[in-house]
Amino acid sequence: MTIDPWVILFSAITVIVTIVMGFWSAQKSKTASDFFVAGRSVSVGWNASAISGEYLSAASFMGVAGMVMSSGYDALWYPVGYACGYLFLLLFIAGPLRRFGAYTIPDFAEGRFDSPVFRKIAVIFVLFIGFFYTMPQMKGAGTTLGYIFPGLPYWAGVLLVGAVITLNVALGGMKGITLVQAFQYWLKMFAISVPVFVLMAVYGHYGTQLAANGGISDQTGGALSAPVGVVLDRTDPNRSVASLRRELPEEAPPDSSWLAPFGPLTSKAARAANLPAERARPYSLLYTYSLIIALVCGTAGLPHILVRFYTNPNGVAAKRTTMWVMVLIGVFYLFPPIFGVIGRNLLPELYAATGAKGTDKVVLELPRVLNDVYPGLGSVMSGITCAGAFAAFMSTFSGLLVSMTGALAHDVYGRMLRPQATAAQRLRMFRLGAVILGFGAVVAGSFVEPFQINFMVGQAFAIAAASYFPLLFISIWWRGLTMKGAATGMLTGGLLAVIAISLTSFSDLNWLDLGWFWAAYPLARILCEQPAIWAVPLAIALMVLVSKATKSEVPADVRMKMLVLHAPEKLGLKQEYIQEHQAVAPR
Amino acid sequence: MLMRRQLRLSITCVVAFLSVLFGLPLLNYFAPDFMAQRVFGFTLTWMVLGVGFFPAVWIIAWVFIGRSIALEEQELREAAREADQPVTQQLQD
């Protein structure tokens, strides 16, 4: 395979525009406040685009399509969970959180319980979740560069992208990122939708493509599946729906399990244990539920998304922003599964490859098949999706890097190590922190090639669901929560989730020999791989129980705090609260 | 007061959402043949999950925001009407 000039051109433009925008806006943001939350002056439309731009990561752009192609129906839960998790955020968290007024989640944790100790605990999870979330972005980077330059090793792509973004973040900060992220949302939307429309116009629509799977007849009564063993000619001008399909390699899941619920993804553990299909189904149902809980609750606990809600002018704007985010990303998520479905029909050779050459690159490579029909068009379309992929992992990685570096510079350095540090010192620390964390992300990212992008992001969501989600949810809606209760629940739920997930990942990487154990206890495998179903209730239960036991330690001004969280800004309570609060406990 | 009303509204919306979200796997589990029937080439369950789910959630969000902002405005009006009493007192009741 040779290097495609169109693909290089579009990718290079994306990278250059992103970097130039970062540098340009770096000149506009001078103070530390600008760096952290963009001066809190971002309108609903901009902020919704920026949140969506930051949220649509390599997992959404490349991973969903790759996973729908490899696992079929079960993978559809991912885009639905990613988009619908915002409803939880909207219903319970967005408005109150903005009203409380703090830069970061650790700020909130400290302010809600007047406890600097709790801030330290909360910071740990910014780093944990960010770390688990950057690894799949790095896989996306390695996969994309490996596709553009076919000879390039996976780790080199990871290193190159990691270095460029780290530099950009160290010099740009968040003000830059708000504009860049908003622009990137629209770029990604364009890049995912246009190739899909072209592909569907040439090869048949979503439903037609899906109908080619399973050999079930459509309304006209004709059998749709291609005869097995026949390699079909994509260029055949008289092609019918049946001739859409190319022969599937052995590695591909059969139509019946691919198309139906409880297929290859959710039944993996039970199959490893050699359970018969009927006995595997309850396990698959459990896996599905745990995945749903992780995705829906996890969205409401992602630190790099939550920090953006502070850039809304008030609580009502925060709610409106969330609504628009749901619309923007919901529309986006219609498209990636279509790539997966068409990819299964037209590019089945990806099933036979692994790692960075596997189904995760279907979004990048699939548009190229158009070259068979209209030479040149396929290259242009493939260039467009590559540009979108760059936008995806670059924007998410920079967002994560900003929030992780923010935690390091603002919380660990500015609050714990050197509280009297000047703004200039903090800024220098911010830059140094970005370089350190960027390097760590590159190292971790170069180990994760065997895992699917989407799967890894799901793991990060599970950790967020077991740690931040219970903290935010309970502390916003229940007065009786004490610091000890919140800390116990968050630490236990979050750390157990991290450990469980790490065990399955280490054993899949062959760093730990646990295969025999998983085969003997498929239930344990599912509960470790998707821990949300037990970790979230566990964290909530611990929070409530420990709070009841330490009832006397409920913060004295909890009524006032609840008022700030829930009362509309127009009542003007905030100022009173701040003055009163400062009089009581000067900072 | 406001907090309780907001919470009740949130819970109503979330129950609607969760019944759809958790109901779909159950339908898949107990009525696989029904969910596998074809609609425009899609299976029914694919159609629901891959396409229909998003607009449903938008509607819930839309209703919630409208009601939630109305609740806040109602609270503001009440606060203005009874301006004699300290506002904070009322809200805490």
Side-chain angles (χ1 to χ4, degrees):
Chain A
M1 222 164 78
T2 51
I3 295 174
D4 197 314
W6 283 106
V7 172
I8 298 229
L9 178 71
F10 281 106
S11 308
I13 291 174
T14 315
V15 176
I16 291 167
V17 167
T18 308
I19 292 173
V20 168
M21 281 176 93
F23 277 94
W24 167 74
S25 53
Q27 296 172 344
K28 294 187 135 196
S29 60
K30 292 285 179 242
T31 66
S33 170
D34 279 343
F35 264 86
F36 290 124
V37 288
R40 276 204 202 150
S41 58
V42 184
S43 73
V44 168
W46 274 106
N47 210 21
S49 303
I51 292 177
S52 310
E54 187 154 352
Y55 190 65
L56 296 176
S57 68
S60 313
F61 199 89
M62 304 163 69
V64 169
M67 208 177 204
V68 168
M69 179 168 169
S70 70
S71 303
Y73 177 89
D74 284 334
L76 284 180
W77 286 107
Y78 278 92
V80 167
Y82 292 152
C84 300
Y86 274 94
L87 191 68
F88 256 58
L89 194 61
L90 172 67
L91 295 179
F92 294 112
I93 292 169
L97 192 64
R98 169 62 194 88
R99 290 192 168 126
F100 201 74
Y103 279 144
T104 62
I105 305 308
D107 273 341
F108 171 79
E110 184 184 11
R112 172 70 175 75
F113 299 102
D114 294 322
S115 165
V117 180
F118 193 44
R119 154 182 291 276
K120 292 178 196 175
I121 299 170
V123 169
I124 298 173
F125 282 98
V126 175
L127 299 175
F128 264 133
I129 297 164
F131 182 74
F132 273 85
Y133 213 116
T134 50
M135 289 191 287
Q137 312 308 322
M138 292 286 102
K139 158 106 194 250
T143 304
T144 309
L145 284 192
Y147 167 69
I148 298 175
F149 305 103
L152 196 74
Y154 169 78
W155 63 265
V158 171
L159 181 67
L160 193 64
V161 172
V164 168
I165 300 172
T166 304
L167 189 70
N168 197 34
V169 165
L171 297 174
M174 184 123 161
K175 181 80 181 176
I177 306 292
T178 301
L179 290 175
V180 176
Q181 304 286 35
F183 163 75
Q184 301 241 13
Y185 168 77
W186 293 102
L187 174 65
K188 280 179 249 186
M189 190 66 209
F190 174 80
I192 200 94
S193 58
V194 170
V196 162
F197 286 126
V198 174
L199 280 165
M200 291 200 301
V202 175
Y203 293 109
H205 285 268
Y206 193 3
T208 321
Q209 292 282 348
L210 208 52
N213 289 284
I216 299 169
S217 33
D218 69 356
Q219 296 92 334
T220 58
L224 292 175
S225 76
V228 176
V230 180
V231 178
L232 292 152
D233 181 10
R234 288 188 300 230
T235 58
D236 177 8
N238 301 320
R239 67 191 182 283
S240 63
V241 174
S243 71
L244 282 170
R245 187 80 183 272
R246 292 178 56 213
E247 190 193 359
L248 292 172
E250 264 177 38
E251 292 84 353
D255 284 340
S256 53
S257 72
W258 184 84
L259 192 64
F262 314 122
L265 174 69
T266 52
S267 66
K268 197 175 71 187
R271 271 185 293 118
N274 286 321
L275 291 183
E278 258 322 292
R279 281 191 55 210
R281 289 185 83 227
Y283 288 106
S284 304
L285 186 67
L286 178 75
Y287 192 106
T288 308
Y289 274 128
S290 195
L291 178 64
I292 295 171
I293 294 171
L295 295 174
V296 169
C297 297
T299 307
L302 291 179
H304 70 292
I305 297 299
L306 289 168
V307 76
R308 287 223 163 260
F309 282 91
Y310 296 118
T311 60
N312 285 299
N314 55 48
V316 172
K319 286 179 187 169
R320 288 216 173 97
T321 300
T322 320
M323 164 86 203
W324 281 109
V325 170
M326 286 167 63
V327 173
L328 292 178
I329 60 179
V331 172
F332 179 90
Y333 280 128
L334 289 175
F335 296 103
I338 307 179
F339 271 102
V341 173
I342 303 182
R344 180 177 168 86
N345 292 339
L346 297 185
L347 210 59
E349 53 266 35
L350 290 187
Y351 282 115
T354 53
K357 306 280 179 210
T359 53
D360 269 345
K361 71 169 180 171
V362 63
V363 168
L364 311 175
E365 191 158 337
L366 178 63
R368 250 213 175 122
V369 302
L370 287 165
N371 277 347
D372 296 349
V373 187
Y374 303 104
L377 182 66
S379 295
V380 173
M381 288 298 143
S382 179
I384 290 175
T385 55
C386 282
F390 267 100
F393 55 73
M394 285 179 81
S395 61
T396 304
F397 184 48
S398 14
L400 286 164
L401 205 51
V402 167
S403 74
M404 285 176 13
T405 311
L408 210 61
H410 186 71
D411 295 318
V412 178
Y413 180 76
R415 295 284 186 117
M416 293 180 210
L417 298 178
R418 291 275 302 271
Q420 68 279 46
T422 62
Q425 279 175 316
R426 284 179 196 208
L427 216 55
R428 206 176 311 131
M429 196 57 209
F430 184 91
R431 291 182 172 158
L432 181 64
V435 173
I436 294 169
L437 290 169
F439 180 74
V442 168
V443 172
S446 50
F447 286 111
V448 296
E449 192 186 347
F451 295 111
Q452 286 198 303
I453 296 173
N454 212 25
F455 175 75
M456 286 189 276
V457 166
Q459 308 289 65
F461 272 69
I463 296 168
S467 54
Y468 277 147
F469 172 72
L471 165 74
L472 291 166
F473 180 66
I474 307 280
S475 57
I476 286 174
W477 295 102
W478 187 44
R479 284 157 208 234
L481 187 66
T482 64
M483 190 279 275
K484 282 183 184 152
T488 317
M490 187 173 79
L491 271 180
T492 315
L495 288 180
L496 285 179
V498 170
I499 291 168
I501 285 169
S502 303
L503 279 181
T504 59
S505 299
F506 289 164
S507 98
D508 288 352
L509 283 170
N510 291 325
W511 295 357
L512 282 179
D513 181 24
L514 285 173
W516 59 272
F517 177 77
W518 305 133
Y521 303 100
L523 186 65
R525 168 76 199 197
I526 290 173
L527 293 180
C528 281
E529 192 174 310
Q530 293 296 345
I533 202 163
W534 55 267
V536 178
L538 175 73
I540 292 177
L542 277 174
M543 283 185 184
V544 173
L545 289 177
V546 176
S547 295
K548 293 269 188 205
T550 54
K551 223 174 198 168
S552 57
E553 295 175 32
V554 172
D557 56 348
V558 67
R559 299 194 128 215
M560 216 47 220
K561 289 196 162 123
M562 282 301 176
L563 198 56
V564 175
L565 279 167
H566 296 283
E569 282 86 351
K570 285 178 199 154
L571 287 177
L573 292 168
K574 181 85 162 289
Q575 284 311 310
E576 287 171 39
Y577 169 74
I578 289 168
Q579 281 155 13
E580 193 180 314
H581 194 69
Q582 280 168 345
V584 178
R587 297 251 178 99
Chain B
M1 265 297 261
L2 176 66
M3 178 177 156
R4 201 157 298 156
R5 278 189 225 151
Q6 290 276 22
L7 187 59
R8 199 175 309 143
L9 173 65
S10 294
I11 287 175
T12 314
C13 292
V14 99
V15 166
F17 171 58
L18 288 184
S19 53
V20 182
L21 190 68
F22 288 142
L24 189 57
L26 282 183
L27 279 177
N28 287 335
Y29 193 79
F30 290 109
D33 295 335
F34 175 73
M35 298 308 279
Q37 63 180 292
R38 295 277 175 158
V39 186
F40 305 113
F42 297 81
T43 58
L44 180 61
T45 183
W46 191 298
M47 186 75 150
V48 171
L49 189 59
V51 181
F53 218 92
F54 303 107
V57 172
W58 297 337
I59 292 168
I60 297 178
W62 184 255
V63 169
F64 169 77
I65 292 198
R67 296 266 177 87
S68 168
I69 292 173
L71 274 181
E72 288 183 10
E73 277 168 4
Q74 183 192 345
E75 196 67 31
L76 280 173
R77 274 198 305 277
E78 281 171 20
R81 205 183 310 134
E82 300 171 35
D84 309 335
Q85 295 174 26
V87 174
T88 54
Q89 202 59 51
Q90 284 180 32
L91 279 167
Q92 284 175 10
D93 289 343

